Amino acid sequence: MSAQNLTIVQAVRDGLYTEMNLDDEVLVMGEDVGKNGGVFRATEGLWDEFGDDRVIDTPLAESGIVGTAVGMAAMGLKPVPEIQFSGFMYPGYDQIISHMSRYRTRTRGRYTLPMVLRAPYGGGIRAPESHSESKEMFYAHEAGLKVVIPSTPYDTKGLLISAIRDPDPVIFMEPKLIYRAFRGEVPEEDYTVPIGEAAVRREGTDVSVFTYGAMTRPTLEAVENLEEEGIDAEVVDIRTISPMDRETVVESFKKTGRAVVVHEAPKNGGLGAEITATIQEEALLYQEAPVKRVAGYDVPYPLYALEDYYLPSVARVEEGIREAVNF
Amino acid sequence: MSVLQRDPQDQVRVLDEDGAVVGEVPDIDDETLVEMYRNMRLARHFDTRAVSLQRQGRMGTYPPLSGQEGAQIGSAIALEEDDWMVPSYREHGAALIRGLPLKQTLLYWMGHEKGNKMPEDANILPPAVPIASQIPHATGAAWALKLQGKTDKGVLCYFGDGATSEGDFHEALNFAGVFDTPNIFFCNNNQWAISVPRERQTASETIAQKATAYGLDGIQVDGMDPLAVYSVTKAALDKAKNPDEGELRPTLIEAVQYRFGAHTTADDPTVYRDDEEVERWKAKDPIPRLETFLRETGRLDDEKIDDIESDIEATVADAIEAAESDPRPDPSEMFEYAYAEQTPEIRAQREEFEALREKVGDEGFLRE
């Protein structure tokens, strides 16, 4: 395989391009995705390549975008609608919850919706109000949907292709803080990364740190810093928020007996709560310390003057890990 | 000139309230005309029986359709086999024409999810309960057909007057106009969104005129005149498939009608509307209207009507018996359809559920 050195947003584009070339039924739709190539350039050049009927600039209407994609998918196309920012998914929320997640169940499998709803999400880019939310649990709580959040360019392309090929609807949330933060090797060919499998990013024996999306990087940095203090941490990138890979979580925890969860979503009802409960249910007797959650606070996402205080920082992650280890 | 080429305020009619011809009778063969009549009678009888089943506790909440047979059957019969239908939750009559057996409609309202499973060869999407949410699906479906090069198919979508207040209605019609999709948006304006009158939904004089805002043709039709409904639906379908130069495919049809009964069996319409209004609309009943026309043109007589009557009674009775004798759904089905392939979590929950059911029996779950 020949490889390219791509950022995450370039890997999104490459994933779309690769799959659109292979499958005529795949189409991209949304606001500014066509000629403009997307406000983050995630669809750059696709319109030139595939034309008006496969890269479609829609009216500004999120419910219309999701709802018409539901109709298209019911008729056998594979639409990949983009919502420009996840903070604007709410006008389409009724379509996501009332239809996208339920179509297969309601019709006893007569119709299934092979669609992927993409949206950049998360904070840290000095964006205005309603451009920084991390609401992945809204969708994870809804059976019938799959929720995927990549953290590397390689995973982004492989997971996106898996999502497009998946017969079920997938919410694909892209951590925009790291859209361009670094590059990684991405094969030019098509390949898949399986949905529903977590990745162990670093092996360790003292404590398991569970994270995903943009928080993977500060977590890895914190863990590296703590090496000097003699702490040998394992880092697990959850990658698929729903269905979560409980097996990898439990196996890692059984090895270390200590857990820290890091996410930028609010602590209340976040994935940290789900991971903690899973550990309680399946590995209680291995537990050496309370599970520590390093998360966003339970406040509306602040304007950017304060966002650095809201987001888990390297120092906060380090403190969290120390707390779990020194209990 | 197409029947669509007229002002949205100018209501299309073929039969007056007494069944006398006042407009252009559409070109339909005798057999189809009688079939139309039979299906309207069938829908009415089904509806009466369904309400009664609910009252007897044999069925859950049910939305009655009486009064709307002309709009439902008149429009659905205009569809060709390859066309698609996107219903709301009240189109039991229209769905029957599309190939959804009455038994399944009953099962759905009896709480069996499989009533939602459309037969593989029936081009119909499942009934949508959240108001207006099916309209973007219809646009998307028609859009997909166009992208797939299947421009010989149209998509007929039903919704009520209340739905026109929702954002989804506007988004769907706007998309349809922008992308020129083969859609027929069919508003069953039955005057009431539960207890709220049409005047409280919109200040527009008609719903049909809203089409103008999206660049579409809007047409108002007497929804209790099945022949007029057939004419406009047929014309809209023809245009969706073969528009003239510079003409847009989609059409908004406002079928003006009345629901004789409650919004659903959970609703009491005497609270919000008076008897005089109901009686006034009952005088427009689509069934005697079509019957008069068919009798006077020699297409129906007492004997044929007796045959139809006994036939529809047997058909509905059979459907009720079939639905009621259908086995309870297997509870494990709950877990079966959420995803194409069950997730480990769902597999585990299913196993846990089945083990518990084994242990405590169905009594451990069922409420009296």
Side-chain angles (χ1 to χ4, degrees):
Chain A
M1 277 196 179
S2 46
Q4 342 153 56
N5 216 21
L6 302 183
T7 62
I8 283 181
V9 73
Q10 288 170 335
V12 170
R13 190 235 171 244
D14 195 42
L16 291 171
Y17 176 83
T18 303
E19 200 58 9
M20 288 177 85
N21 252 336
L22 292 172
D23 185 347
D24 287 344
E25 284 171 342
V26 179
L27 63 87
V28 165
M29 59 196 286
E31 298 158 17
D32 306 302
V33 299
K35 196 171 187 179
N36 187 42
V39 292
F40 287 101
R41 318 247 74 86
T43 55
E44 191 161 39
L46 298 182
W47 179 74
D48 300 314
E49 192 73 29
F50 299 105
D52 272 336
D53 284 350
R54 295 188 62 201
V55 184
I56 306 169
D57 273 326
T58 65
L60 199 166
E62 287 79 9
S63 189
I65 292 169
V66 181
T68 53
V70 166
M72 286 182 170
M75 303 300 280
L77 293 180
K78 294 177 187 164
V80 187
E82 174 184 292
I83 301 295
Q84 207 158 68
F85 287 90
S86 70
F88 303 133
M89 282 164 83
Y90 318 122
Y93 195 69
D94 178 38
Q95 287 292 343
I96 297 170
I97 301 302
S98 301
H99 294 292
M100 199 177 148
S101 65
R102 298 169 54 85
Y103 230 69
R104 185 182 175 81
T105 290
R106 286 171 65 208
T107 62
R108 311 276 89 180
R110 165 74 172 84
Y111 297 100
T112 191
L113 302 181
M115 59 186 284
V116 182
L117 182 63
R118 290 180 43 245
Y121 90 104
I125 63 158
R126 308 287 185 251
E129 193 156 15
S130 298
H131 287 71
S132 306
E133 278 78 2
S134 183
K135 301 293 189 197
E136 58 273 23
M137 297 311 287
F138 285 8
Y139 311 104
H141 195 60
E142 191 62 21
L145 298 176
K146 296 179 179 179
V147 184
V148 172
I149 301 181
S151 73
T152 69
Y154 181 90
D155 278 6
T156 297
K157 179 172 175 179
L159 283 166
L160 182 56
I161 291 176
S162 290
I164 295 171
R165 293 180 187 175
D166 198 294
D168 293 317
V170 178
I171 306 275
F172 197 83
M173 303 186 81
E174 296 161 11
K176 60 182 179 286
L177 174 62
I178 53 171
Y179 254 165
R180 296 192 169 78
F182 56 94
R183 289 173 181 274
E185 262 194 17
V186 175
E188 268 174 32
E189 296 76 8
D190 69 301
Y191 64 94
T192 57
V193 171
I195 291 174
E197 284 184 21
V200 178
R201 297 290 179 206
R202 183 188 190 280
E203 296 204 26
T205 53
D206 294 336
V207 57
S208 300
V209 190
F210 302 107
T211 189
Y212 55 92
M215 292 299 106
T216 309
R217 301 223 334 143
T219 298
L220 284 167
E221 196 181 328
V223 161
E224 222 163 277
N225 295 344
L226 292 173
E227 243 183 328
E228 294 162 19
E229 297 175 26
I231 297 174
D232 180 23
E234 178 148 308
V235 176
V236 178
D237 178 357
I238 300 294
R239 292 201 293 200
T240 299
I241 303 309
S242 179
M244 185 175 77
D245 178 358
R246 282 165 213 273
E247 202 181 317
T248 299
V249 169
V250 170
E251 283 316 303
S252 176
F253 184 78
K254 281 182 174 171
K255 190 166 83 176
T256 64
R258 295 169 196 271
V260 178
V261 189
V262 183
H263 58 63
E264 61 177 287
K267 185 175 180 180
N268 183 31
L271 192 72
E274 190 57 40
I275 290 174
T276 307
T278 299
I279 288 167
Q280 295 290 305
E281 283 175 344
E282 298 187 33
L284 180 66
L285 297 180
Y286 294 82
Q287 192 158 357
E288 304 282 350
V291 177
K292 176 68 189 173
R293 287 181 281 167
V294 180
Y297 300 111
D298 295 322
V299 299
Y301 193 91
L303 291 183
Y304 69 76
L306 289 180
E307 74 176 336
D308 288 352
Y309 295 94
Y310 173 91
L311 290 169
S313 62
V314 173
R316 262 177 79 191
V317 177
E318 284 177 17
E319 277 306 300
I321 295 173
R322 283 192 197 102
E323 223 174 280
V325 171
N326 299 328
F327 176 73
Chain B
M1 196 167 82
S2 164
V3 67
L4 304 178
Q5 305 299 315
R6 65 163 78 197
D7 193 273
Q9 266 89 345
D10 181 12
Q11 196 176 93
V12 179
R13 291 179 100 189
V14 174
L15 301 175
D16 74 6
E17 288 175 34
D18 300 322
V21 175
V22 293
E24 195 182 332
V25 176
D27 182 21
I28 322 178
D29 61 56
D30 291 355
E31 200 186 327
T32 310
L33 277 172
V34 173
E35 197 53 22
M36 191 185 265
Y37 172 77
R38 193 193 88 95
N39 280 304
M40 286 167 60
R41 293 277 309 257
L42 177 59
R44 174 73 55 93
H45 181 63
F46 172 82
D47 197 57
T48 312
R49 293 290 296 123
V51 172
S52 146
L53 289 177
Q54 192 279 333
R55 298 283 180 243
Q56 296 166 46
R58 289 157 71 190
M59 193 159 79
T61 303
Y62 166 83
L65 64 85
S66 286
Q68 303 190 199
E69 296 88 346
Q72 290 198 20
I73 310 297
S75 57
I77 262 182
L79 292 174
E80 285 172 40
E81 202 180 325
D82 287 342
D83 295 324
W84 282 77
M85 177 184 289
V86 182
S88 80
Y89 48 77
R90 202 188 296 281
E91 277 77 39
H92 327 307
L96 171 72
I97 305 288
R98 262 303 67 187
L100 184 68
L102 289 178
K103 176 192 166 188
Q104 267 188 259
T105 301
L106 288 165
L107 280 175
Y108 177 66
W109 296 104
M110 286 173 172
H112 296 234
E113 202 107 35
K114 75 174 162 199
N116 253 329
K117 181 171 180 170
M118 299 300 140
E120 293 290 338
D121 57 352
N123 289 352
I124 178 167
L125 296 186
V129 168
I131 302 302
S133 62
Q134 75 279 16
I135 316 177
H137 305 169
T139 302
W143 194 358
L145 292 172
K146 190 180 171 191
L147 290 169
Q148 290 163 337
K150 301 170 186 164
T151 47
D152 55 338
K153 303 180 200 330
V155 179
L156 175 64
C157 178
Y158 295 106
F159 48 90
D161 37 312
T164 66
S165 302
E166 293 272 10
D168 271 353
F169 165 80
H170 301 277
E171 297 187 25
L173 267 67
N174 190 47
F175 273 59
V178 168
F179 297 106
D180 193 24
T181 52
N183 280 101
I184 296 91
F185 299 107
F186 194 100
C187 178
N188 283 306
N189 172 8
N190 68 16
Q191 312 304 323
W192 292 92
I194 306 189
S195 69
V196 180
R198 201 228 69 140
E199 296 70 39
R200 192 45 83 86
Q201 299 302 334
T202 177
S204 305
E205 194 178 338
T206 69
I207 286 168
Q209 76 194 55
K210 290 177 185 291
T212 310
Y214 309 104
L216 314 181
D217 284 325
I219 183 112
Q220 197 184 59
V221 61
D222 181 343
M224 298 170 95
D225 174 350
L227 298 184
V229 168
Y230 176 89
S231 286
V232 298
T233 311
K234 186 76 176 46
L237 267 166
D238 289 346
K239 177 170 69 103
K241 298 174 191 179
N242 288 304
D244 285 339
E245 184 86 23
E247 192 178 44
L248 283 180
R249 292 175 189 273
T251 304
L252 170 62
I253 296 171
E254 175 189 6
V256 178
Q257 61 204 286
Y258 200 74
R259 73 166 143 81
F260 292 161
H263 161 67
T264 71
T265 48
D267 162 50
D268 174 11
T270 61
V271 173
Y272 53 84
R273 63 186 198 191
D274 54 42
D275 293 346
E276 183 276 323
E277 178 184 297
V278 181
E279 289 313 311
R280 190 157 35 85
W281 281 95
K282 280 196 169 165
K284 302 176 199 280
D285 192 329
I287 294 178
R289 244 159 121 168
L290 184 62
E291 185 175 314
T292 302
F293 169 76
L294 294 179
R295 276 177 184 275
E296 284 182 0
T297 53
R299 291 168 167 114
L300 262 190
D301 54 28
D302 285 345
E303 198 186 337
K304 276 189 187 163
I305 290 176
D306 285 348
D307 287 349
I308 287 172
E309 207 158 279
S310 45
D311 174 57
I312 62 175
E313 279 171 17
T315 304
V316 172
D318 288 350
I320 294 171
E321 203 198 317
E324 290 194 319
S325 59
D326 204 80
R328 274 189 98 87
D330 174 359
S332 292
E333 267 185 26
M334 275 191 301
F335 302 97
E336 204 142 304
Y337 297 103
Y339 299 96
E341 197 182 325
Q342 286 181 28
T343 64
E345 186 71 355
I346 290 180
R347 257 201 311 277
Q349 288 176 10
R350 179 181 184 151
E351 281 163 20
E352 190 183 305
F353 169 79
E354 281 168 354
L356 185 64
R357 187 165 173 239
E358 184 81 13
K359 192 174 166 197
V360 304
D362 282 340
E363 327 58 282
F365 296 90
L366 298 177
R367 289 179 296 144
E368 275 313 303

